[in-house]
Amino acid sequence: MMIIAQLLAVIATLVIIVRLLTFRRRGCRYRPAVAFTAWGVIALSAATLERLLTGSAGAWWLTGLLVTIAILVIRSGGNVADLLRTFIPHRRH
């Protein structure tokens, strides 16, 4: 049963990494904080992938979290700024 959880987690992690790496701005403004956040998500996903492949991590809660993040990344088109807008409300001046 744990093999299924690890396999799903590996697939979700790969989806996150590939989608964020293939994001195209298409005229969107470059924001260093958002770019750094995307880099952090990719780095954490790669570290999680390494732990999953070595067998030192893997649980259903981790799989659920990674699948949820992968779905959100796909829905946002890889745009981390859109993801952040979901969780951080826009402040009006």
Side-chain angles (χ1 to χ4, degrees), residues 6-84:
Q6 284 182 307
L7 182 62
L8 286 173
V10 166
I11 291 169
T13 306
L14 287 172
V15 166
I16 293 167
I17 292 170
V18 169
R19 187 59 194 119
L20 290 179
L21 286 174
T22 59
F23 172 69
R24 299 228 183 251
R25 288 190 301 143
R26 290 191 177 97
C28 294
R29 199 173 60 154
Y30 174 76
R31 292 184 265 179
V34 175
F36 183 73
T37 303
W39 177 85
V41 171
I42 292 169
L44 288 172
S45 296
T48 303
L49 180 62
E50 185 268 330
R51 293 205 51 172
L52 286 166
L53 293 176
T54 59
S56 57
W60 282 105
W61 67 269
L62 179 62
T63 302
L65 179 66
L66 289 171
V67 168
T68 303
I69 293 171
I71 290 170
L72 290 173
V73 166
I74 290 171
R75 285 187 66 201
S76 70
N79 191 344
V80 175
D82 283 347
L83 283 175
L84 293 177

